Amino acid sequence: TTGGATNINSIEYRLGFLTVNGKKIVFPFDSPNELYFVNFDDGDITEYLHQGVMPRVHTQAGMRHRYVAHISDKNGFASGVLSYHWNLPVNDSVEFSLEVPFHGVAAVKFPNMEREKAKHLVDSLHGDVRNFWQTKINSVMFDLPKSAEKIINTLKTNLAYILINRDKLGIQPGSRSYERSWIRDGALTSTALLYLGFYDEVHEYLDWFAKFQFPDGKIPCVVDTRGADPVPENDSHGEFIYAILQYYHFTKDRDWLNGKFEHVLKTTRYIQLLRRQRKTDEYKNGTPEQQAMYGLVPESISHEGYSAKPMHSYWDDFFILRGLNDATTIAGILEKKELETEFKAERDDFEKCLYASIVLAMKNKQVDYIPGCVELGDFDATSTAIAINPIGELGNLPEPEIHNTFDRYYKFFEERRDGKLLWENYTPYEVRIIGVFIYLNQKERAHELLNFFLNDQRPKGWNHWAEVVWKDSTVPKFIGDMPHTWVASDFIRAVRSMFVYERERDSALVVGAGVVENWIDGVEGFSVSDLPTYYGKLSYSMKKERERVVVDISGGVKSPTGNIVLKSPINRPIRKAFINGIEVSSTTSNEILVKVVPAKIDLYY
C-alpha cells in the first residue's frame, strides 16, 4: 500500500500466531510474555509504548497455542504489541524473531517456541537463505583484490535485487512505484541477466511479454495487472527485437528464435508503418525542423524528460535502428533471404535518415554535441549513451560531436564531484556512462565515475541506488523505488564492459578494457571465470611480474572472426608480446590480437 501503511480492521491471536485482517499471518518464533491489543477508542499503541505504560486492554499469552484473543476496529485503526521480557547485561544483545510470509506458507510449524529452539531454527533458516543466494549469484566468479571488492559486491547484490523484483515472469524495475513491466527496462535488464548466465528468466520474460503484442505489431511500452498499456513509446519496438536476438546470441537456441520470428516480422512491419508517417512531402520539403524529422519514427514520451510534451527523441530512433539491424540479422540466421534483403534495405534507409536528422538538428540548434531530440537540441549524455551501448554505433556517430558530448558530460561530472557547482540531486542512470568511457578507451574516467557513484549508495550496506540520489541524504523527498533495478542493470552492463564486451562492428571480443594496474599488482593478480559472451564462456587471469604482465585466457570461448582484442592493463606502450611462447606484433601500443584459445600471453613494457 502506498506509503507502507494500511488499514487494520482486525487482529486475532489463535494457535500461537497472529492473523491481521483475516489474511496476513505473523508467526512468532519466540513465545511472547504478553499481548496488548487496542482499537481506536482505546488510543494508539505507539503512544503507550512512548510512555512506557501498557494499555488496560491486554491479554496474557502464557497459554500460547490454546489461547485466543481478538480485537476489531471498523475504522481500520486496530493495533497490537507482542511483549517480551529480558534482562540485558552490559555489552550483550538479545533477538526475538518473527516470520511474516508473503505467500501464506510459513517455515515455522510450531510458533512460540522456547528460546534456544527458536534461535536454532532461525539460524538454520538464515543458513538456507545464504546458501540459496550464494549459489544463485555466483555462476560467474570474480577474484579481485580487496580494493575492488565493493565493485563485485555491488554487482552481485544488484543481480539479487533484479531477481527479487521480478513479479512471476515479469521483470520490473521496482516493487512499489514501478510495480509494472516495461519492455525498455526489461530488455536491458534481460541483457544484464544474460551477461551473468541467467537464461531461463529471460526466456520466460520474453515468452510472456510477446503475448501482449498488439494485432498491428505494436509492442506495448509496459504491461501490468490490467494488461498491455496502449500509450505509444516508440523505443519499445526496437527494444523487443533487440532482446530476442540477445537471448539467441547467448543460448544459440535456433528453434526458440524461429518461434519468435512471427513477432519480429510483425514488429518490423509496425516500424515501417510508423516511418511512413514521417516520409511525406511535409517532412521532406517543410521547415528545417520538419526536415530533421524526415524518415524517423513519430514523437513519443518514452524519454521521461519529454513526458509533458512528446518529442522526436533520438532515444527512440537509436533503438529503432538497433531493432531493424537485429531483425535483419535474425532473418539471416533463419535463412529467410527475401525478408533479410527487405529488412536490410529498411535499415540502411533508416540509418541514412537518422544521421541526416542528427546533422541537421545540430545545425538548426547550433550545438556541437549529439542532441537528445530534434525539437530542443537538448544536451542529455545519459540518453545519448545508449547510442554507444547497447546500440553499437560508435564509429558511425558524427565526430567530433560524439566525443564532445562525453567531454562536456565529464566536465560537468568533475565540477559536481568537486563542489564547483550547485546541485540537489541526480538520477543514477548515469552509471551507464561508465561503460561509455570504457568503449571510448578512457578507462581512467570510467573509474572516476565508478568511485563517485559507489560512494553515493544509501544506505551504504545495501550496495544499491534508488532512482534519485539527493546531495543531502536527509531530505524527505522522492527517491523512487529502492533498490531500483533498471539502474542496477545499467551498472551490471557497465561493469561487465570493464572485463569483456562484444565489439559488433568488427565481430571482435574486447577483453580487459577496464582493468587497471592496481588490480594486477598483488601476488595472484585477479581472475574471472565462466563469464558468458556471444562466443562462449570466457575465463581469464592477469598478474604483474615486474615489467611483465602474464595473461591466461581459457574457458569455452572461441576467438571470433574479429579476434579477441586484449587491452593492456598498464598505461605504457607494449614493447614486446608473446602468445603461447611465440612473439607477436602489437596492433597498437596498448592491445594485441589473440586468435586461439587457450592462450598464455606475456606482455613486456
Side-chain angles (χ1 to χ4, degrees):
T1 304
T2 301
T6 189
N7 292 343
I8 297 179
N9 299 103
S10 67
I11 308 173
E12 182 176 72
Y13 181 80
R14 182 189 295 269
L15 300 176
F17 60 86
L18 294 168
T19 304
V20 181
N21 289 342
K23 56 181 181 179
K24 179 57 70 177
I25 299 172
V26 179
F27 284 80
F29 284 63
D30 303 274
S31 178
N33 295 97
E34 291 96 20
L35 303 173
Y36 297 95
F37 294 164
V38 296
N39 58 27
F40 182 70
D41 292 335
D42 295 313
D44 185 339
I45 198 72
T46 57
E47 292 301 320
Y48 287 101
L49 292 172
H50 289 156
Q51 295 169 17
V53 179
M54 289 297 105
R56 286 186 305 103
V57 182
H58 70 276
T59 61
Q60 299 295 323
M63 296 180 68
R64 297 185 192 152
H65 301 292
R66 288 177 293 171
Y67 195 86
V68 177
H70 177 85
I71 196 166
S72 60
D73 190 316
K74 65 181 180 180
N75 297 309
F77 289 105
S79 57
V81 163
L82 301 177
S83 176
Y84 295 88
H85 296 178
W86 71 89
N87 292 314
L88 191 62
V90 175
N91 296 324
D92 205 350
S93 64
V94 65
E95 292 183 3
F96 299 99
S97 300
L98 303 168
E99 183 178 12
V100 186
F102 287 123
H103 304 292
V105 179
V108 183
K109 295 181 180 178
F110 303 103
N112 295 344
M113 292 180 284
E114 297 295 339
R115 187 96 190 91
E116 286 305 311
K117 289 183 179 180
K119 184 178 185 306
H120 177 75
L121 177 59
V122 170
D123 290 345
S124 175
L125 292 172
H126 282 170
D128 291 344
V129 171
R130 279 194 298 270
N131 290 337
F132 170 83
W133 283 110
Q134 284 172 356
T135 301
K136 193 78 173 172
I137 65 177
N138 285 319
S139 57
V140 178
M141 295 299 296
F142 297 89
D143 187 3
L144 268 68
K146 192 170 183 63
S147 62
E149 276 185 356
K150 181 67 172 175
I151 301 169
I152 301 307
N153 288 344
T154 297
L155 181 144
K156 290 182 177 181
T157 305
N158 280 280
L159 169 60
Y161 290 148
I162 287 171
L163 298 174
I164 290 167
N165 270 348
R166 288 179 77 216
D167 193 345
K168 297 180 181 177
L169 305 182
I171 292 173
Q172 299 181 162
S175 292
R176 189 175 69 93
S177 298
Y178 296 98
E179 182 79 359
R180 313 177 79 195
S181 184
W182 281 263
I183 187 61
R184 172 170 54 252
D185 308 50
L188 296 177
T189 304
S190 290
T191 305
L193 289 171
L194 292 168
Y195 283 171
L196 296 174
F198 287 79
Y199 305 147
D200 291 346
E201 291 81 357
V202 177
H203 183 286
E204 292 169 353
Y205 173 68
L206 293 174
D207 281 354
W208 170 75
F209 204 96
K211 297 175 183 177
F212 295 95
Q213 185 172 26
F214 291 98
D216 61 358
K218 175 183 177 181
I219 297 297
C221 62
V222 65
V223 173
D224 58 21
T225 54
R226 299 168 298 178
D229 195 318
V231 173
E233 295 190 5
N234 289 328
D235 57 341
S236 302
H237 326 298
E239 289 154 354
F240 177 71
I241 299 173
Y242 160 76
I244 287 174
L245 184 57
Q246 286 296 298
Y247 179 79
Y248 172 80
H249 277 320
F250 284 91
T251 65
K252 301 300 185 286
D253 189 341
R254 195 174 188 278
D255 290 340
W256 181 87
L257 184 67
N258 190 55
K260 288 290 175 287
F261 186 73
E262 187 62 28
H263 292 285
V264 172
L265 175 60
K266 289 174 65 177
T267 307
T268 307
R269 293 279 184 254
Y270 188 75
I271 290 172
Q272 291 171 323
L273 176 67
L274 290 176
R275 290 197 66 215
R276 285 199 288 272
Q277 298 176 38
R278 292 296 177 269
K279 295 198 77 174
T280 64
D281 287 343
E282 176 185 5
Y283 294 95
K284 186 176 183 179
N285 303 312
T287 66
E289 184 172 285
Q290 288 175 315
Q291 289 178 41
M293 300 171 186
Y294 180 78
L296 306 182
V297 292
E299 64 271 33
S300 89
I301 60 168
S302 61
H303 185 303
E304 290 184 351
Y306 310 139
S307 56
K309 182 180 179 181
M311 299 287 173
H312 288 79
S313 168
Y314 290 124
W315 173 280
D316 288 354
D317 293 302
F318 283 125
F319 272 113
I320 291 295
L321 178 60
R322 178 80 205 206
L324 290 173
N325 188 62
D326 287 354
T328 304
T329 301
I330 292 168
I333 292 167
L334 298 176
E335 299 178 356
K336 299 179 184 295
K337 299 299 183 184
E338 289 187 8
L339 288 172
E340 181 185 13
T341 300
E342 177 193 340
F343 293 170
K344 181 179 183 299
E346 187 76 35
R347 179 202 66 193
D348 291 348
D349 181 69
F350 183 74
E351 182 180 59
K352 179 181 176 182
C353 291
L354 172 59
Y355 284 113
S357 170
I358 291 172
V359 170
L360 184 53
M362 291 189 297
K363 179 182 177 182
N364 290 343
K365 300 300 180 180
Q366 297 184 340
V367 298
D368 64 352
Y369 52 80
I370 308 296
C373 70
V374 171
E375 291 89 337
L376 302 177
D378 48 327
F379 177 77
D380 190 347
T382 309
S383 171
T384 304
I386 60 106
I388 293 177
N389 180 264
I391 310 305
E393 286 298 292
L394 189 61
N396 296 328
L397 290 157
E399 289 287 8
E401 288 82 6
I402 187 62
H403 274 81
N404 292 347
T405 302
F406 293 102
D407 287 344
R408 175 169 171 162
Y409 168 81
Y410 181 72
K411 184 175 185 296
F412 156 77
F413 165 79
E414 278 191 309
E415 291 177 348
R416 178 180 62 187
R417 179 195 62 190
D418 299 341
K420 295 179 180 178
L421 56 80
L422 295 175
W423 64 281
E424 286 189 316
N425 61 32
Y426 65 86
T427 55
Y429 299 114
E430 287 182 41
V431 297
R432 70 175 66 121
I433 301 178
I434 296 168
V436 168
F437 284 127
I438 296 296
Y439 279 71
L440 292 174
N441 293 317
Q442 298 176 13
K443 67 180 176 184
E444 292 80 10
R445 287 183 172 184
H447 279 270
E448 289 182 53
L449 266 63
L450 181 63
N451 293 334
F452 175 82
F453 293 126
L454 287 175
N455 192 52
D456 263 353
Q457 293 178 337
R458 297 163 184 163
K460 297 289 185 184
W462 283 34
N463 295 337
H464 86 114
W465 296 270
E467 189 186 22
V468 183
V469 173
W470 292 83
K471 183 178 182 180
D472 180 355
S473 61
T474 65
V475 297
K477 293 187 178 181
F478 177 80
I479 60 169
D481 275 9
M482 58 178 285
H484 193 284
T485 45
W486 187 23
V487 172
S489 76
D490 281 334
F491 178 80
I492 290 171
R493 292 185 304 107
V495 168
R496 191 256 193 177
S497 71
M498 293 180 157
F499 296 96
V500 67
Y501 67 86
E502 291 81 7
R503 195 168 67 196
E504 293 175 292
R505 67 178 183 269
D506 61 351
S507 298
L509 188 65
V510 181
V511 172
V515 175
V516 288
E517 191 168 352
N518 65 13
W519 288 5
I520 63 172
D521 272 341
V523 175
E524 298 297 327
F526 89 91
S527 64
V528 57
S529 303
D530 297 323
L531 190 58
T533 75
Y534 288 6
Y535 311 106
K537 290 189 176 180
L538 169 72
S539 297
Y540 74 98
S541 63
M542 286 189 186
K543 62 180 178 178
K544 183 181 177 185
E545 298 177 350
R546 295 184 180 178
E547 294 302 304
R548 178 179 70 154
V549 171
V550 180
V551 184
D552 279 294
I553 300 178
S554 60
V557 70
K558 293 180 173 59
S559 187
T561 56
N563 301 303
I564 292 174
V565 179
L566 176 64
K567 296 281 190 176
S568 171
I570 296 177
N571 292 332
R572 280 182 282 155
I574 297 171
R575 185 169 53 84
K576 286 193 303 184
F578 295 83
I579 300 178
N580 295 331
I582 300 172
E583 187 168 3
V584 296
S585 58
S586 177
T587 57
T588 71
S589 65
N590 72 337
E591 66 181 40
I592 63 167
L593 300 183
V594 180
K595 300 181 180 181
V596 178
V597 177
K600 180 180 179 182
I601 302 116
D602 296 290
L603 306 176
Y604 292 87
Y605 297 84

